[in-house]
Amino acid sequence: LSMCSKLCYAIGGAPNQVAGSAASFFLQIYLLDIAHITPFHASLVLFIGKASGAVTDPVAGFFISKSRWTKIGRLMPWVLACTPFTIVSYFFMWYLPPFASGRIAWYLTFHCLFQALTTLFQVPYSALTMFLSTDQKDRDSATAYRMTMEVLGTLIGASLQGQIVASAHVSPHCTANSSANTTDTPSIPDPADPLSHQVVYMIAAGVIAGIYLLGIVVLFLGVKERDDPYALNSDRAIPFCKGLALTMKHGPYVKLAASFLLISTAVQLEQGNFVLFCTHAAGLRNHFQYLVVTILVSAAVSVPFWQKFLQRFGKKCAACGISWMIPFAVMLVTIPNLILAYFVAFISGLSIAASLLLPWSMLPDVVDNFRLHNPHGKGQETIFYSSYVFFTKMSAGIGLGISAAGLEFTGYKPGICRQSDDVILTLKLLIGAVPAVLILLGLFILLFYPITEESRKETKLALDELR
């Protein structure tokens, strides 16, 4: 693969991460403090939205596996077709409707649409890795390019959103007289004031929508999809239900999916509650956007390091880097210091980069291993990718829903300068203890993942012989 092809492929995935990171970091606080939806209803919006995206994954995998080859490929038409609808649903997800009684239904509708449409993009786009090249090094390199650009996309989305909408979440009254504030002092402007939040959120949504469109154009113009190089003319596509059953019985895939299901849930909890933690529990109300940028810059610059690391020491060994964030996150929870917060943000970025790169780098190896054991079937790639995205989205939705419900149970009140001690304790648990337990469980499961560097080379030789 040429560097240009890898770069265009990577740029195509960035817009989805730009939009997704803005939603991950800011949607919960937007629903609570701007739209003034109760934490319980916010938890419903977050969970049902993620669940709708998760349910769409196997449906997308089914229809994509039935798709016929066209002049631009089998996967590319799906990527192009869903893009305009994704942009529209994302834009209206940040719109503050003039009516108060139907806001829950409004945000639920457009969040579900956005999650479902991003799934229709993510499944064929991620499976496209298998149709760029047959060489494992090429695919690993393309994955590293992709993850670097996706982390940069996450950085762009979070930093753009944070800088544009920061004025809607910073109250001069709270910051100037924080010691005198009580739990009944309002911290944000009245939601009827369009200049304070609606306009800035619309501007941010419009900018991100433009980035989305640009990235898809680059992907279409710069990437050529290749047909399955190992398939014979006599081979038939594996029926979706049969392929799904075979996938769920494939040991390496089950262990990989279970491990990163737990790890991705931990990362989602960190992202979804980090802004709330900085605002209400750590006294870093004026620094949260810079801390978010620190995390993402650290993640972006460390992806090439992790790519070199896994090439030299192996992919399972590189997974140890995911655990680095645990002791530092616990330190931030117990000692909420500004300098420590930036150091924790930097280390967390290193761990997040490893957690993002490794599953997408290991999944093609699992598909190759499956193909070796099922040599006369084709079309299983989208089944693997759609199933994996389904599990990670569903687990993340459950985690975010439970965290928002926990805030409701402990008495979170939108629009006040200081939350109760129970809410602060809940935020500390969601940032420190819960992600730590999930990451450790995920890494323990990964110990039993059977594909090693030696078995990867043996699989490559066997597939070359098959070809």
Side-chain angles (χ1 to χ4, degrees):
L1 281 176
S2 67
M3 183 180 295
C4 180
S5 295
K6 296 176 187 176
L7 192 59
C8 290
Y9 172 65
I11 290 174
N16 214 31
Q17 300 303 316
V18 171
S21 71
S24 295
F25 280 107
F26 291 95
L27 184 58
Q28 182 165 253
I29 196 170
Y30 170 82
L31 295 174
L32 294 174
D33 286 358
I34 304 300
H36 280 205
I37 292 177
T38 65
F40 174 73
H41 290 132
S43 69
L44 289 180
V45 171
L46 294 172
F47 170 71
I48 296 176
K50 286 286 186 181
S52 67
V55 171
T56 309
D57 286 306
V59 177
F62 173 79
F63 285 107
I64 294 171
S65 65
K66 298 290 185 181
S67 301
R68 295 183 178 181
W69 184 264
T70 67
K71 291 182 179 179
I72 60 173
R74 185 164 60 94
L75 303 175
M76 192 68 75
W78 287 89
V79 173
L80 298 178
C82 67
T83 296
F85 302 102
T86 305
I87 292 173
V88 172
S89 63
Y90 178 80
F91 187 81
F92 282 108
M93 190 174 70
W94 299 100
Y95 176 71
L96 189 68
F99 46 86
S101 58
R103 285 181 183 172
I104 298 169
W106 175 277
Y107 292 116
L108 185 60
T109 299
F110 285 105
H111 189 221
C112 288
L113 280 174
F114 173 71
Q115 292 292 338
L117 289 166
T118 53
T119 293
L120 290 177
F121 171 89
Q122 187 67 27
V123 171
Y125 172 77
S126 55
L128 191 60
T129 309
M130 300 298 299
F131 300 96
L132 297 176
S133 172
T134 60
D135 187 79
Q136 291 178 346
K137 290 184 178 179
D138 269 347
R139 291 191 314 224
D140 285 348
S141 178
T143 300
Y145 272 79
R146 170 193 160 195
M147 297 318 301
T148 301
M149 292 304 300
E150 288 193 355
V151 174
L152 285 174
T154 304
L155 168 63
I156 292 170
S159 58
L160 273 177
Q161 188 87 358
Q163 293 299 324
I164 295 174
V165 308
S167 60
H169 298 286
V170 176
S171 170
H173 177 71
C174 283
T175 55
N177 192 25
S178 58
S179 61
N181 291 326
T182 66
T183 56
D184 297 321
T185 305
S187 66
I188 59 174
D190 183 82
D193 180 10
L195 295 177
S196 64
H197 47 267
Q198 182 175 349
V199 171
V200 294
Y201 269 98
M202 287 292 93
I203 291 172
V207 171
I208 291 176
I211 294 173
Y212 209 111
L213 186 60
L214 179 63
I216 300 304
V217 171
V218 172
L219 175 68
F220 174 69
L221 296 178
V223 174
K224 182 180 180 181
E225 180 182 348
R226 294 178 171 87
D227 203 358
D228 189 345
Y230 296 116
L232 301 175
N233 292 331
S234 59
D235 289 347
R236 295 183 177 181
I238 299 177
F240 182 81
C241 293
K242 180 182 178 181
L244 186 62
L246 291 173
T247 299
M248 294 300 104
K249 294 177 182 178
H250 194 58
Y253 178 72
V254 171
K255 294 178 176 66
L256 179 70
S259 173
F260 282 97
L261 179 149
L262 295 170
I263 293 170
S264 64
T265 302
V267 173
Q268 285 287 332
L269 283 174
E270 292 273 357
Q271 287 184 341
N273 294 284
F274 186 76
V275 176
L276 284 170
F277 173 79
C278 291
T279 303
H280 298 296
L284 303 172
R285 184 185 298 271
N286 291 333
H287 296 272
F288 70 82
Q289 65 267 38
Y290 306 113
L291 289 168
V292 169
V293 169
T294 302
I295 292 173
L296 298 176
V297 168
S298 172
V301 299
S302 61
V303 169
F305 162 76
W306 287 118
Q307 175 65 13
K308 294 292 184 182
F309 188 94
L310 64 87
Q311 286 178 343
R312 182 167 183 177
F313 299 102
K315 297 179 181 180
K316 288 180 66 174
C317 186
C320 66
I322 300 174
S323 63
W324 290 359
M325 72 166 70
I326 295 176
F328 297 101
V330 173
M331 287 173 60
L332 178 62
V333 167
T334 54
I335 313 171
N337 178 270
L338 179 60
I339 297 176
L340 179 62
Y342 278 99
F343 186 68
V344 171
F346 175 77
I347 298 297
S348 297
L350 299 178
S351 296
I352 289 173
S355 70
L356 292 174
L357 175 64
L358 282 173
W360 296 112
S361 181
M362 298 166 84
L363 197 54
D365 301 336
V366 173
V367 176
D368 280 346
N369 183 271
F370 178 86
R371 187 58 185 270
L372 190 61
H373 291 85
N374 300 272
H376 296 295
K378 63 180 181 179
Q380 76 283 349
E381 294 85 3
T382 54
I383 298 175
F384 274 97
Y385 281 86
S386 62
S387 300
Y388 177 77
V389 178
F390 167 80
F391 288 124
T392 54
K393 282 189 176 180
M394 183 61 75
S395 64
I398 293 173
L400 290 175
I402 291 174
S403 69
L407 294 176
E408 167 81 12
F409 179 76
T410 52
Y412 181 91
K413 295 180 181 179
I416 63 175
C417 291
R418 178 175 172 78
Q419 298 290 338
S420 66
D421 291 339
D422 290 339
V423 172
I424 293 173
L425 177 61
T426 301
L427 288 171
K428 289 181 177 181
L429 291 174
L430 293 173
I431 288 292
V434 177
V437 172
L438 293 174
I439 289 173
L440 291 175
L441 286 175
L443 293 177
F444 176 75
I445 294 173
L446 197 63
L447 290 175
F448 302 97
Y449 177 70
I451 297 179
T452 62
E453 298 306 304
E454 291 74 17
S455 65
R456 286 180 65 209
K457 294 177 182 178
E458 294 172 359
T459 300
K460 180 181 184 301
L461 291 174
L463 286 177
D464 287 341
E465 184 177 350
L466 174 67
R467 186 184 184 188

